[in-house]
């Protein structure tokens, strides 16, 4: 079973950087695309970034393109989200998710059957 645990969230000031990590149960995400989503209070959950099973392809929401970078480490069964130049509107609960085996990177929540519990990111001065 795929189990995902996010970490690295916290309170930062606008313009700061923050790195999120998502650790998966051993060997379960090697052949799966991975994604990061976020949800602010009263808002729908939105796609943030995704990466293919072999790391060869990435996708980003327009709102974070150029500021956020997604990466993965197969040996560590971990996916990362490096967030730079953070803005107050980036404040949200961030979730990592794993897709089906060999599926292409997608922004659709329904294509990600496995989810973590989320880690809170708050950007405030």
């Amino acid at each position: 079973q795929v189990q995902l645990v996010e970490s690295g969230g916290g309170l930062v000031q606008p313009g700061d950087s923050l790195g999120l990590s998502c650790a998966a149960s051993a060997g379960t995400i090697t052949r799966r695309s991975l994604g990061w989503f976020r949800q602010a209070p009263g808002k729908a959950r939105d796609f943030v970034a995704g990466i293919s099973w072999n790391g060869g392809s990435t996708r980003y929401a327009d709102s974070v393109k150029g500021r956020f970078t997604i990466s993965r480490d197969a040996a560590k069964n971990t996916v990362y989200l490096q967030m730079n130049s953070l803005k107050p509107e980036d404040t949200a609960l961030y979730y990592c998710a794993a897709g089906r085996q060999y599926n292409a990177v997608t922004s659709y929540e329904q294509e990600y059957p496995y989810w973590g519990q989320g880690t809170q990111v708050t950007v405030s001065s």
Side-chain angles (χ1 to χ4, degrees), residues 2 4 28-37 50-53 72 79 96-106 108-115:
V2 178
L4 305 170
T28 58
I29 62 170
T30 302
R31 300 175 298 279
R32 304 174 187 274
S33 291
L34 301 170
W36 285 94
F37 291 77
I51 188 167
S52 62
W53 70 274
R72 64 188 298 164
V79 59
C96 66
R100 297 182 174 85
Q101 293 190 52
Y102 297 111
N103 274 15
V105 174
T106 176
Y108 297 112
E109 292 186 46
Q110 62 185 5
E111 296 299 321
Y112 292 88
Y114 307 102
W115 294 79

Side-chain angles (χ1 to χ4, degrees), residues 16-30:
D16 283 355
S17 296
L18 195 64
L20 304 182
S21 297
C22 177
S25 46
T28 58
I29 62 170
T30 302

